Amino acid sequence: MSRALFTEHELAVLRLLAGGRTQVEIARTLRVRPETVGLLLNRARILLRARTLPHAVARGYETGLLTLPPNEQGPPQLP
């Protein structure tokens, strides 16, 4: 997945969503309307070919668009 397809705002809202923030919290952080956050997340979801927002976050990690901070190990691996 090419980062060039995403705007900085789309990446920012996706990162904040992946960090556990709600759409209202993201809107407050970025000083935009919650409706704007919803539109940005929906566009990111479509570009990632995800069915839901949690799926979009998962696809972000799968494609390398999102990365875990260096001090985090991520979810446990299945055997």
Side-chain angles (χ1 to χ4, degrees):
M1 179 69 43
S2 173
R3 292 175 83 80
L5 295 174
F6 294 83
T7 67
E8 284 303 313
H9 286 104
E10 290 162 350
L11 290 173
V13 297
L14 193 59
R15 284 187 197 109
L16 290 168
L17 184 70
R21 302 261 182 104
T22 66
Q23 289 188 31
V24 172
E25 291 169 335
I26 294 169
R28 286 185 188 137
T29 300
L30 299 179
R31 296 178 185 235
V32 296
R33 295 176 55 198
E35 294 83 1
T36 302
V37 172
L39 291 171
L40 292 167
L41 286 171
N42 191 50
R43 180 160 153 48
R45 182 187 60 77
I46 290 167
L47 288 171
L48 287 164
R49 296 182 180 192
R51 293 180 302 277
T52 63
L53 291 177
H55 187 212
V57 170
R59 293 277 301 139
Y61 284 117
E62 288 171 3
T63 61
L65 191 66
L66 298 174
T67 57
L68 289 173
N71 60 349
E72 301 214 12
Q73 295 182 3
Q77 298 297 317
L78 297 175

